[in-house]
Amino acid sequence: MTAMIRVDNLCKGFTLHNQGGVSYQVLNQVSFSVARGECVVLDGPSGSGKSTLLRSLYANYKPESGRVWIRHNDSEIDLVSALPRDVIDVRKHTIGYVSQFLRVIPRVSTLDVVMEPARRLGVSREDSLARAQDLLTRLNIPERLWSLAPSTFSGGEQQRVNIARGFVVDYPVLLLDEPTASLDAGNRDVVVDLIRGARNRGSAIVGIFHDADVRNRVADRAIALSARKTHVAAEETQA
Ligand SMILES: Nc1ncnc2c1ncn2[C@@H]1O[C@H](COP(=O)(O)OP(=O)(O)OP(=O)(O)O)[C@@H](O)[C@H]1O
């Protein structure tokens, strides 16, 4: 089985410079891999580091040590040590990231927001539009809203626009940070179908799902993160 993601001994902590330089370790030598067509969920109590790990997989956070190998253009690239321009290329072609919240750009229509990742990859406007319309329809966004900027949309509507944007490209790797957090049961079912579809097309998926029902329906297995954080006294950090 081809590993799309290989996490090797990842360590990530934080130092709160404005709070006496207190440091604590959140991820302690985390290792796992995710194959093509596999959906893995991150499990663990609140504060155990699920979002920190997901952000590290997208190179939003820089771990102190360890590796995040991503299969990209028929070879592997380590996102911990990659140059910024390589990170941008991996994000454009290989990794999709769906967070809970849509980053709204004023005056850009919903259709353009959803189409943008496909257009950036060179997909024709016609094909991108068809794909965006299909996703918005499936996700029950009323057609009257498609030409409006989503800044005034409800939380659940914005979340569904964000999901449509995340699924408009068939990314080989998909990172999902609570994509169903503010959705009703009907829309959760749509998202479950989208996730299963992406998995069946070969995406390697890592997700955080607080909804146990959604988690059980999409997960092939879970990675457990422990709640225990190692605190490092400020004096020790400064030594
Ligand atoms: N940017 C940051 N700066 C400082 N501390 C942070 C930062 N991001 C996360 N943390 C800390 O790391 C720990 C893990 O946070 P994280 O959000 O990864 O947990 P989580 O498992 O996703 O929690 P939840 O289920 O509540 O969303 C928390 O104690 C949090 O305060």
Side-chain angles (χ1 to χ4, degrees), residues 172-186:
V173 172
L174 206 45
L175 307 176
L176 307 173
D177 192 352
E178 296 196 52
T180 56
S182 33
L183 301 187
D184 56 45

Side-chain angles (χ1 to χ4, degrees), residues 37-129:
E38 192 178 30
C39 179
V40 165
V41 297
L42 302 182
D43 228 351
S46 178
S48 58
K50 301 181 294 295
S51 295
T52 301
L53 177 54
L54 209 64
R55 288 183 186 144
S56 301
L57 297 184
Y58 198 57
N60 266 351
Y61 282 164
K62 191 169 175 63
E64 295 86 53
S65 62
R67 301 276 176 240
V68 173
W69 295 103
I70 300 290
R71 180 150 285 280
H72 172 66
N73 293 342
D74 292 331
S75 63
E76 280 187 313
I77 180 167
D78 166 34
L79 289 189
V80 176
S81 57
L83 294 171
R85 66 161 182 270
D86 292 330
V87 170
I88 290 168
D89 195 62
V90 171
R91 287 177 179 173
K92 181 174 166 188
H93 294 275
T94 301
I95 308 184
Y97 186 98
V98 181
S99 70
Q100 281 179 64
F101 305 106
L102 178 68
R103 207 161 47 88
V104 181
I105 311 147
R107 293 190 296 277
V108 178
S109 78
T110 295
L111 272 174
D112 283 321
V113 167
V114 175
M115 280 195 288
E116 196 260 344
R119 294 291 288 139
R120 232 180 333 134
L121 276 181
V123 178
S124 71
R125 185 171 169 83
E126 195 187 1
D127 288 351
S128 306
L129 185 64

